[in-house]
Amino acid sequence: MKPDQKVAFVVEESINPSSDFFVIPELKRRGYEIRRFGFDSCPAAGDAGKSIVVFVRYVPRRWKLFIDRYREHFDQVIYFMDDDLLNPAALSGLPLRYRFKLIRYAFLARSWLQKHNACFWVSTPYLQSVYSAFDSVLVAPVPLPEKPRPLTIFYHGSSSHNAEIRWLVPVLEEVLRRRENTVFEAIGNAEVRKWLKGLSRVNVLQPMSWPSYQALILRGGRDIGLAPLLDSPFNRARSHTKYFDITAAGAAGVFADDPVYTSYIEHESNGMTIAMDQSEWVSAIVDLIDNKAKRLALHSAARSHCFRLGQT
């Protein structure tokens, strides 16, 4: 740390809107270098000189012990809240599990925060008035910086496609790691959510009726559709209708190199047909992410082909 550098240690359960809308912009405005920490990690004691620590909504036990031991190393302890977290009466009506979390990580920290002369940052004039005894500071939210629309990669399958979704998990993990300008969208139940839980930038939609699904894909905004197909007796009877869905969604398709699809799709003409090798799928998807002209050309050819098929 530079001798004159002001550093703020931001303690948060995970990356979250409270930090991004309120805390991070305010700290930047005040000229702090920001270091973000989760509940289970703390800085080295020697890094705490001329610094502050900001707890975003929650105060975990590990950090309580850390501050108890090294409080003199910190210029200030700050507690930010954007809900009335220190008032048990305000928690009534909330789900029991969520109330327990708020009591454990917020309400029970009230006396601890007072002991360490914490400064309160709050998100609304209402909270500022409720906690006026703490000389609370009103922090205004700031819009997130504008970013280009991320590319949406999707695989829409029913529970009969669960084996394919599991097969895709390491493919998606690598693609999302390599290209941060992407999100993945799936349709699935709690089991599918569990498999995809560890991946960042993933949206899992609830299964829906056929009319609802048609309305969904016609809204657009999707770029690359996936259609893997593992060899199984059930899958040998599949048709190529995912080709129609992917094309209707406005996307270029990556399909299994299987007769189900190769009878209708010419590789690198109206789609990509790739052997069921996970590394090859990663390469094919990344290639499409990086090549907008290719995506558009594949979709245009597929759209024309589907139109001709509809005229027969």
Side-chain angles (χ1 to χ4, degrees), residues 168-185:
L168 276 174
V169 169
V171 173
L172 298 170
E173 183 176 23
E174 182 64 15
V175 169
L176 293 168
R177 184 189 69 80
R178 290 193 194 181
R179 297 295 183 269
E180 293 186 357
N181 63 328
T182 58
V183 297
F184 176 70
E185 178 184 273

Side-chain angles (χ1 to χ4, degrees), residues 62-78:
R62 181 167 183 171
W63 273 87
K64 284 183 182 179
L65 297 174
F66 181 78
I67 297 297
D68 285 342
R69 186 173 182 182
Y70 299 110
R71 176 64 180 91
E72 70 278 6
H73 291 213
F74 291 92
D75 290 341
Q76 192 175 38
V77 174
I78 296 171

Side-chain angles (χ1 to χ4, degrees), residues 43-105:
D47 291 340
K50 200 178 180 183
S51 61
I52 63 172
V53 59
V54 184
F55 292 99
V56 181
R57 293 176 59 89
Y58 308 121
V59 184
R61 182 175 182 273
R62 181 167 183 171
W63 273 87
K64 284 183 182 179
L65 297 174
F66 181 78
I67 297 297
D68 285 342
R69 186 173 182 182
Y70 299 110
R71 176 64 180 91
E72 70 278 6
H73 291 213
F74 291 92
D75 290 341
Q76 192 175 38
V77 174
I78 296 171
Y79 176 65
F80 171 80
M81 63 175 137
D82 49 359
D83 290 305
D84 194 358
L85 302 178
L86 304 186
N87 178 10
L91 308 183
S92 62
L94 296 175
L96 183 61
R97 186 174 180 180
Y98 188 51
R99 271 187 283 169
F100 176 76
K101 176 182 178 180
L102 296 182
I103 291 170
R104 179 185 179 188
Y105 289 113

Side-chain angles (χ1 to χ4, degrees), residues 74-289:
F74 291 92
D75 290 341
Q76 192 175 38
V77 174
I78 296 171
Y79 176 65
F80 171 80
M81 63 175 137
D82 49 359
D83 290 305
D84 194 358
L85 302 178
L86 304 186
N87 178 10
L91 308 183
S92 62
L94 296 175
L96 183 61
R97 186 174 180 180
Y98 188 51
R99 271 187 283 169
F100 176 76
K101 176 182 178 180
L102 296 182
I103 291 170
R104 179 185 179 188
Y105 289 113
F107 175 72
L108 292 179
R110 180 170 180 152
S111 61
W112 182 89
L113 291 165
Q114 289 176 292
K115 181 181 76 171
H116 287 291
N117 298 313
C119 173
F120 278 40
W121 287 5
V122 296
S123 62
T124 63
Y126 172 81
L127 289 173
Q128 189 177 32
S129 66
V130 169
Y131 294 95
S132 58
F134 294 89
D135 295 323
S136 53
V137 176
L138 181 63
V139 178
V142 174
L144 299 180
E146 289 190 12
K147 296 180 180 179
R149 180 182 72 85
L151 274 68
T152 298
I153 306 164
F154 69 97
Y155 177 58
H156 293 163
S158 66
S159 58
S160 68
H161 299 88
N162 277 4
E164 279 74 27
I165 294 178
R166 293 199 72 170
W167 182 89
L168 276 174
V169 169
V171 173
L172 298 170
E173 183 176 23
E174 182 64 15
V175 169
L176 293 168
R177 184 189 69 80
R178 290 193 194 181
R179 297 295 183 269
E180 293 186 357
N181 63 328
T182 58
V183 297
F184 176 70
E185 178 184 273
I187 294 175
N189 54 21
E191 192 173 22
V192 171
R193 291 177 186 274
K194 181 179 178 181
W195 295 334
L196 297 172
K197 184 178 179 180
L199 303 183
S200 61
R201 307 190 307 281
V202 170
N203 300 311
V204 181
L205 308 179
Q206 291 287 346
M208 63 195 76
S209 68
W210 173 238
S212 295
Y213 178 68
Q214 288 178 299
L216 174 77
I217 61 173
L218 291 176
R219 290 208 305 255
R222 294 168 181 82
D223 302 280
I224 301 171
L226 308 181
L229 195 67
L230 296 167
D231 184 34
S232 71
F234 191 82
N235 279 347
R236 289 170 200 150
R238 298 274 190 192
S239 72
H240 58 283
T241 54
K242 287 203 178 305
Y243 172 47
F244 301 153
D245 293 341
I246 290 170
T247 304
V254 180
F255 304 87
D257 186 11
D258 184 280
V260 167
Y261 295 117
T262 55
S263 299
Y264 292 86
I265 299 164
E266 182 180 350
H267 180 58
E268 297 206 343
S269 174
N270 57 338
M272 305 281 286
T273 53
I274 308 296
M276 289 294 286
D277 176 277
Q278 289 164 327
S279 62
E280 291 188 28
W281 274 65
V282 170
S283 297
I285 295 168
V286 169
D287 176 50
L288 285 180
I289 292 169

